[in-house]
Amino acid sequence: MSFPSGRFVWFEYVAGDLARAQAFFGEVFNWKTQTMPAPGLPGGVYTMIGAGEHMLGGYLETPAGAPPHAHWLAHLQVESAAATAAAITSAGGKVLKAPVAMGDLGTYAIVADPLGGAFALWQPAKADAGEYKGVAGTFCWNELMTEDVARSLAFYQAVAGFTDAPMDMGPMGTYHVLESAGRGRAGIMQAPMPGIPQLWMPYVQVDDADQTVARARRLGADVKQPCDDVPGVGRLAIFTDPLGCGVGILQPAR
């Protein structure tokens, strides 16, 4: 049985101080935690991120070989983790963790694009709601800043079947919306300066961007992009949490 591919359906926060991260995000986004048995992980449990009735992702202690800095690991849903991993290698990417079955839930792998941007593959064993929920506190977008837009676009089109819907953003240049099944799923844009690491950064939907930024700042966040209005999209901002991990917020246009 296969399920729709080309969707980012889960976001893991990977860090060494998960208690601090959980406290921060619990206050900023009102996220809750829920644990499930996971014999292969430290402590034998996996801690999931919840917003209301929705499960969005999880907290994962930094495993051996992973980057030591706090970061997000976005999960791309695919029809076949094995086939996609092979396509990634052929397209110049790397398989960092070979596909492995996660009990009766599905198959999981960790990979990287040709410029080093890491993400996970997720081949589910059964259908679930997945992806963006459209309510405050849940993920609403995923964004890649890159020094080589053309190369990144070609890679994600080849391995995930995305199509490119470019948007003229004026002085900011062209924003490339990755679409599948006729819907925008993520975006790629030129990094504003050299040396910015290639990485995927999620956005969380909020009811009030200004209040969310003020709350995050009080709790130790460093605001990298103050609140700004994007016509037809909404009001957005970007900040890093106390562990240095970036996250975006979006108050959708009404």
Side-chain angles (χ1 to χ4, degrees), residues 51-249:
E53 63 183 16
H54 304 293
M55 290 295 112
L56 316 172
Y59 292 103
L60 186 65
E61 187 173 330
T62 306
H69 55 81
H71 61 280
W72 291 101
L73 187 66
H75 288 50
L76 176 67
Q77 185 165 301
V78 297
E79 292 185 3
S80 169
T84 305
I88 283 168
T89 301
S90 297
K94 293 181 179 180
V95 176
L96 306 177
K97 180 180 177 64
V100 59
M102 305 296 287
D104 60 356
L105 299 176
T107 303
Y108 167 84
I110 302 177
V111 297
D113 64 32
L115 296 174
F119 61 104
L121 305 178
W122 179 244
Q123 176 191 335
K126 57 183 179 181
D128 57 44
E131 212 188 19
Y132 309 136
K133 315 296 184 182
V135 297
T138 65
F139 293 108
C140 60
W141 197 244
N142 198 25
E143 188 172 85
L144 179 72
M145 288 192 178
T146 177
E147 292 187 3
D148 193 332
V149 170
R151 190 177 182 192
S152 294
L153 273 174
F155 173 81
Y156 286 100
Q157 288 173 316
V159 305
F162 288 123
T163 56
D164 176 26
M167 295 174 56
D168 182 3
M169 300 295 287
M172 295 176 60
T174 302
Y175 191 88
H176 298 269
V177 177
L178 299 181
E179 294 186 343
S180 67
R183 288 185 56 190
R185 312 291 179 172
I188 293 179
M189 66 182 299
Q190 181 72 40
M193 62 186 70
I196 294 180
Q198 177 110 340
L199 53 82
W200 283 100
M201 183 186 70
Y203 280 72
V204 178
Q205 184 169 328
V206 299
D207 287 330
D208 190 311
D210 295 87
Q211 288 185 6
T212 302
V213 166
R215 186 163 57 247
R217 184 183 278 117
R218 287 197 303 269
L219 294 165
D222 183 6
V223 179
K224 299 298 185 181
Q225 180 177 321
C227 290
D228 191 21
D229 293 312
V230 177
V233 176
R235 191 161 177 78
L236 56 81
I238 298 172
F239 54 82
T240 56
D241 66 23
L243 297 180
C245 184
V247 65
I249 61 168

Side-chain angles (χ1 to χ4, degrees), residues 22-62:
Q22 290 167 14
F24 174 81
F25 289 116
E27 291 287 336
V28 174
F29 298 132
N30 196 32
W31 283 351
K32 308 300 182 183
T33 59
Q34 180 177 321
T35 59
M36 63 179 291
L41 296 179
V45 297
Y46 179 73
T47 301
M48 295 184 290
I49 297 169
E53 63 183 16
H54 304 293
M55 290 295 112
L56 316 172
Y59 292 103
L60 186 65
E61 187 173 330
T62 306

